[in-house]
Amino acid sequence: MQSLGLDVLFKGTNFLRLLEGLWVSVRISLISVVISILLGLVAGVLMTSKNIVLKAAFRVYLEIVRIMPQMVLLFIVYFGTTRVFGWNLDAEASAVIVFVFWGVAEMGDLVRGALISIPKIQYESAEALGLTKQQTYLYVILPQTVRRLIPLSINLVTRMIKTTSLVLMIGIVEVLKVGQQIIEANRRTSPNAAFGVFAVVFLLYFLICWPVSRLAGYLEKRWAA
Amino acid sequence: MDFGAIHEYLPLYRDALFLTMRIGWQGILLAFVIGLAATIILHFRIPVLRQLTSFYIELFRNTPLLVQLFFIYFALPKVGLRITPALCGMVGLGLLGGAYMAETFRSGLENVPLIQSESAASLGMSRMQAFRYVVLPQAVSSSIPGLVANVIFLLKETSVFSTVSLMDLMFTAKDLIGMYAKTVECLFLLVVFYLIMLLPVSILGSIVERRMRRAEFGS
């Protein structure tokens, strides 16, 4: 055990510190996911609109999100805004801004996909029953859309958790950073700590994301009808 | 905006782009090979290998590339497996991508109706022949949109290469910002170079996708 550096993990509060580090990125992703889902629902409805300006704007927005790596967006928000506008955003706030920017596009696109997959007859029947536009959305379309959306949004959660590991690059102390600190602190006594620590981080991410994506897969299959 | 600085940094970014593209495409090629191998193992239900492959796919689909790279680059040398940053980037991207490619191929295979392999069998083809000449071509063509999405995803993921001390675009930008504090110029170039890298793939992707859809309507 000594040679693989697993002993370091059980020294003092090291394991607890790793978990706390993991919680930092999970917390950022949970906050971002909640905001993204709420705003994404609105964005998705707007994306189905026939308005040319609105359509073009969303097209550009989606393309930016599709092409730009999240890391670049993080750099722009964290380093760029300070320089250009003199804002002093803290790292965690910039991370949330970037992941919401990304998440709203993803979620909006999912909502749009779910909305257009709803047969036209549903809208027509609602109209025939004398429902207003708001009523149609609220009582007919949304309930059906939500069912299709839940597995997809759960998937978004795991992708969000995986992507938030990038916040290391803008100086947030998350699980990898804590891992590095532990390795540095124990360089003398256990030079192989890197193996144990990073293997455990690898495993921790898997243990968080795997059950969640299994749940999404299960729901998707169950509600496929 | 200081255009003198931009002009000065241009060659640095160009070199970084070449490096990112080289390792990125090598990784994608590797991902393609791994994905295909994994798909074949799962499709033919080869015992033992099948369980290992499923585990590999789940493991790499549910962890971030950054963590995978840290493990390959910092942890594996401790058990005697030392590799260069470039190889680490390529292998990391290949392993991550392989898992995603396998998933895409699998859904492509599921899209091929069972009657296709049954018809092939009734024509006297062996299982291997049916797979090679009938099922696989159809599966590949129906998974093309997914593959394009994977390629774009993997090219974007190359942005974490800087963490294993590869001099990619992110590394160059961060380095230059740190040295000369010309943040706006550096970030501008960063965006421009990522556009150069990804926009053609994205445009090509939507053209291919549209063609595929037209082919489907035709039949």
Side-chain angles (χ1 to χ4, degrees):
Chain A
M1 284 306 237
Q2 177 86 36
S3 62
L4 288 182
L6 288 170
D7 51 316
V8 174
L9 291 163
F10 302 104
K11 218 194 259 172
T13 54
N14 281 350
F15 195 71
L16 211 65
R17 282 178 60 206
L18 272 183
L19 289 181
E20 274 168 21
L22 195 60
W23 171 242
V24 170
S25 43
V26 172
R27 188 182 61 211
I28 293 174
S29 42
L30 288 182
I31 295 172
S32 312
V33 159
V34 171
I35 304 176
S36 299
I37 287 178
L38 293 177
L39 292 180
L41 283 172
V42 180
V45 174
L46 290 178
M47 277 181 211
T48 58
S49 120
K50 299 269 188 302
N51 188 324
I52 296 172
V53 182
L54 212 59
K55 257 174 125 170
F58 272 114
R59 194 62 210 279
V60 172
Y61 172 40
L62 285 181
E63 198 64 9
I64 291 174
V65 171
R66 203 163 94 107
I67 288 187
M68 275 301 130
Q70 286 87 12
M71 189 98 102
V72 175
L73 299 177
L74 272 179
F75 266 47
I76 291 176
V77 172
Y78 187 60
F79 295 118
T81 55
T82 315
R83 191 75 186 188
V84 178
F85 305 114
W87 299 347
N88 199 2
L89 285 177
D90 73 279
E92 216 168 307
S94 341
V96 170
I97 291 173
V98 168
F99 293 125
V100 165
F101 182 77
W102 171 61
V104 169
E106 292 276 332
M107 192 63 200
D109 205 34
L110 296 179
V111 172
R112 189 192 60 90
L115 280 177
I116 59 173
S117 74
I118 294 206
K120 210 174 154 200
I121 198 164
Q122 297 283 340
Y123 291 89
E124 291 167 352
S125 312
E127 205 182 330
L129 288 171
L131 298 183
T132 65
K133 230 172 163 167
Q134 280 90 352
Q135 283 172 325
T136 308
Y137 267 110
L138 203 58
Y139 300 115
V140 182
I141 307 302
L142 266 186
Q144 300 185 56
T145 326
V146 165
R147 201 177 209 209
R148 287 173 206 215
L149 276 177
I150 285 175
L152 298 172
S153 346
I154 295 176
N155 256 332
L156 187 65
V157 176
T158 64
R159 285 169 58 204
M160 205 58 110
I161 292 174
K162 285 185 283 174
T163 316
T164 44
S165 61
L166 298 180
V167 296
L168 167 79
M169 292 293 285
I170 56 170
I172 293 179
V173 181
E174 46 71 80
V175 61
L176 280 173
K177 192 79 206 166
V178 173
Q180 282 177 333
Q181 289 171 351
I182 292 174
I183 293 163
E184 287 301 320
N186 297 286
R187 177 127 291 173
R188 286 286 194 81
T189 49
S190 51
N192 284 337
F195 185 84
V197 170
F198 287 136
V200 164
V201 172
F202 201 154
L203 221 63
L204 283 175
Y205 264 103
F206 178 69
L207 289 179
I208 289 190
C209 292
W210 187 62
V212 182
S213 59
R214 280 303 287 263
L215 176 69
Y218 168 74
L219 289 178
E220 206 165 343
K221 230 170 248 164
R222 217 186 123 185
W223 290 343
Chain B
M1 195 98 83
D2 181 350
F3 287 100
I6 288 185
H7 187 74
E8 195 183 318
Y9 297 158
L10 218 47
L12 292 171
Y13 275 87
R14 194 199 52 215
D15 291 347
L17 178 72
F18 284 151
L19 180 99
T20 313
M21 291 269 254
R22 202 187 68 230
I23 299 172
W25 283 105
Q26 283 171 348
I28 288 168
L29 204 66
L30 183 65
F32 204 79
V33 174
I34 293 177
L36 213 54
T39 313
I40 289 170
I41 288 169
L42 291 180
H43 186 74
F44 288 107
R45 298 170 188 280
I46 300 171
V48 187
L49 278 181
R50 195 181 92 195
Q51 280 81 7
L52 284 176
T53 309
S54 304
F55 177 69
Y56 150 72
I57 293 176
E58 291 294 333
L59 186 64
F60 277 83
R61 275 178 65 89
N62 286 301
T63 43
L65 180 60
L66 189 58
V67 174
Q68 295 163 12
L69 287 182
F70 265 58
F71 183 75
I72 296 173
Y73 192 65
F74 297 111
L76 287 186
K78 303 293 178 197
V79 290
L81 213 70
R82 194 175 300 275
I83 61 177
T84 62
L87 195 62
C88 171
M90 188 189 121
V91 170
L93 201 66
L95 285 173
L96 172 82
Y100 279 83
M101 294 287 184
E103 227 15 45
T104 310
F105 285 138
R106 193 183 55 81
S107 71
L109 280 175
E110 276 174 7
N111 277 338
V112 180
L114 194 62
I115 198 164
Q116 295 284 339
S117 28
E118 288 169 354
S119 313
S122 76
L123 286 172
M125 288 184 174
S126 69
R127 265 188 79 185
M128 215 48 214
Q129 282 174 323
F131 184 72
R132 163 78 183 76
Y133 296 107
V134 179
V135 178
L136 194 64
Q138 296 185 56
V140 168
S141 80
S142 83
S143 48
I144 280 179
L147 293 181
V148 173
N150 282 348
V151 168
I152 294 176
F153 163 72
L154 291 174
L155 283 176
K156 275 168 73 175
E157 288 286 305
T158 58
S159 58
V160 306
F161 280 175
S162 59
T163 51
V164 292
S165 62
L166 273 172
M167 303 253 277
D168 76 331
L169 289 168
M170 291 309 300
F171 189 99
T172 307
K174 195 166 188 186
D175 211 30
L176 288 173
I177 290 174
M179 276 195 293
Y180 305 111
K182 296 220 182 292
T183 314
V184 180
E185 291 79 1
C186 288
L187 290 176
F188 172 73
L189 280 172
L190 186 64
V191 169
V192 169
F193 274 81
Y194 268 109
L195 282 180
I196 294 174
M197 189 160 100
L198 282 155
L199 206 53
V201 184
S202 172
I203 291 171
L204 200 73
S206 28
I207 293 173
V208 171
E209 219 164 303
R210 216 169 300 147
R211 284 221 156 175
M212 290 284 307
R213 217 173 300 153
R214 204 180 302 149
E216 268 169 36
F217 282 147
S219 64

